[in-house]
Amino acid sequence: MDHRMGPVIIPGVPDEEMPGKLIVLEGTDGVGRSTQMRLLRNWLESSGLAVYDTGLTRGRLAGSHIQQAKEGHTMGRRTQALFYATDFADRLEREIIPAMRAGYVVLTDRYVYSLMARAAVRGMEPEWVRKLYAFAPTPDVVLYLRITLGKLVPRVLASGGFDYWESGMDYRREATLYSAFVKHQAALLEQFEQLAQEHEFRVVNAEQPIRKVFDDLQEHVTDVVSEMVEAHQMSDFVAPAMPQPPAVQHDRSEVAESLRDLLSSLLEDGSAEDRSAEKGT
């Protein structure tokens, strides 16, 4: 993995070949990602590979704060995008890159593609969104769990019902949560289809039984990790030690300073566009 989604490079994110692999599982909420993440991890570990899994809002820097902001139902679309970008950059520096340098298979439950899709349906400027996530390394494979809206709705109802944010109620003014969910998810699924084509996702039919979905995912993942498995079988394998992430130093961290500069420039771009839009109304 030696290229990125864009030209922006931040310190701590090396432009280098690493022995590990980055495998992304994408798909909308309720599609079954958590189940498949667990199955994939168990299978990879049983094959002798060291696995590290991560996902949205799990970072130490911003993860809990995102959850707190969502509880108030007041987070604006630009704030939301910047918050998630901060969480991703933190996990990239402290989890994903160290694990890949150590030879781990990194499984991530969603990646910047979900964040780009969410921002797009909320009307964020495409160029601004691309610039925001341009530092993200390109994964070794993106596995997209595809589902139709007609199959998604019953699953979500069976698993607990509609969620405020998953229904897009922060930007949609609908009479019912159901109506908002249907329209929001329809727009989100359309964005995923565009991203799947643009970024060459490996598409898996998520409407199949769980075992069949897993079998299809296994086939795609095997293409990525087969050499690692063969190397393990030919040697006395010892799981690589996961390096400890650097201590959080918000004041002096080179990465934090670079990220602040990037976010500041994006905020300035966004403010200018907002002012321009106001003049036109």
Side-chain angles (χ1 to χ4, degrees), residues 25-37 109-110 145:
L25 196 60
E26 275 289 6
T28 192
D29 295 290
V31 78
R33 292 186 324 276
S34 298
T35 298
Q36 297 301 332
M37 282 282 292
D109 181 357
R110 293 178 292 191
L145 297 178

Side-chain angles (χ1 to χ4, degrees), residues 28 30 55 74 138 151 177 186 213:
T28 192
T74 58
T138 303
K151 294 291 185 180
L177 200 59
V213 173

Side-chain angles (χ1 to χ4, degrees), residues 16-31:
E16 65 185 45
E17 289 284 351
M18 289 176 281
K21 298 293 184 181
L22 178 57
I23 298 173
V24 173
L25 196 60
E26 275 289 6
T28 192
D29 295 290
V31 78

Side-chain angles (χ1 to χ4, degrees), residues 106-123:
V106 177
L107 282 177
T108 176
D109 181 357
R110 293 178 292 191
Y111 199 59
V112 296
Y113 307 109
S114 278
L115 305 179
M116 293 167 70
R118 290 178 178 182
V121 299
R122 287 174 169 82

